[in-house]
Amino acid sequence: MEARRSSAALVGVAVVALLVVLVPETSRAERFVVGDAARWTWGYNYTDWVIKKGPFFQNDTLVFMYDPPNATVHAHSVYLMRNAADYQSCNLKAAKLVANVMQGAGSGFEFVLKKRKQHYFVCGERGGIHCTMGNMKFVVKPKSSACRDD
């Protein structure tokens, strides 16, 4: 009887170990609403938000939520900057628009951190004023998803 219990326990451990190996890394990815309850908005300190929420890992999803423009709401967007210098100066000339002014509505725009590289996010509205004066910018460099459990 004792041998059966030991065998059953070993089988159980083997099944759990196999599931850990077979579960894709994306299933362990997390989803973050940028700015939490504040969402993607003028004047919020996103650098502090990144520090509080980090570290971030490959396959994590950043959700940018913002209202579409109307008579009382300024437009917001999401741009990926080419490099640190363009990010620091909020130079949008070579930036890539990843979410327009309408894409933050409803459940928001989702950006999956697929690569282990610096991601420089900014709001490009009002000719970059939201970036330069409104603090609507932050940098994320995801770690390898293999490091998540470390």
Side-chain angles (χ1 to χ4, degrees):
M1 187 70 168
E2 189 65 35
R4 276 191 172 166
R5 285 187 191 151
S6 292
S7 294
L10 284 174
V11 168
V13 168
V15 167
V16 169
L18 185 61
L19 285 173
V20 168
V21 170
L22 293 177
V23 172
E25 289 183 2
T26 55
S27 69
R28 291 186 272 169
E30 294 188 38
R31 187 175 181 272
F32 299 91
V33 174
V34 174
D36 296 321
R39 307 182 327 151
W40 188 232
T41 190
W42 172 275
Y44 186 83
N45 189 329
Y46 293 98
T47 300
D48 282 352
W49 178 83
V50 167
I51 292 167
K52 289 175 188 170
K53 291 296 180 177
F56 296 89
F57 295 90
Q58 279 178 287
N59 300 314
D60 281 350
T61 300
L62 301 178
V63 182
F64 292 84
M65 298 181 77
Y66 47 93
D67 294 326
N70 61 47
T72 59
V73 175
H74 290 293
H76 296 302
S77 57
V78 182
Y79 280 81
L80 261 177
M81 304 302 271
R82 181 181 55 167
N83 55 45
D86 287 350
Y87 169 80
Q88 287 295 336
S89 65
C90 295
N91 179 3
L92 296 165
K93 288 181 183 142
K96 178 182 178 186
L97 177 67
V98 293
N100 67 34
V101 297
M102 301 304 289
Q103 288 176 278
S107 58
F109 166 75
E110 296 189 357
F111 185 92
V112 179
L113 298 168
K114 295 179 183 174
K115 296 181 181 177
R116 286 179 49 212
K117 66 172 195 156
Q118 296 278 36
H119 293 78
Y120 303 96
F121 295 100
V122 306
C123 178
E125 296 309 302
R126 303 282 175 155
I129 290 175
H130 285 196
C131 177
T132 57
M133 307 270 303
N135 291 326
M136 291 187 74
K137 64 181 190 174
F138 66 94
V139 180
V140 171
K141 183 177 182 188
K143 295 182 175 189
S144 168
S145 54
C147 297
R148 185 175 293 280
D149 298 328
D150 292 348

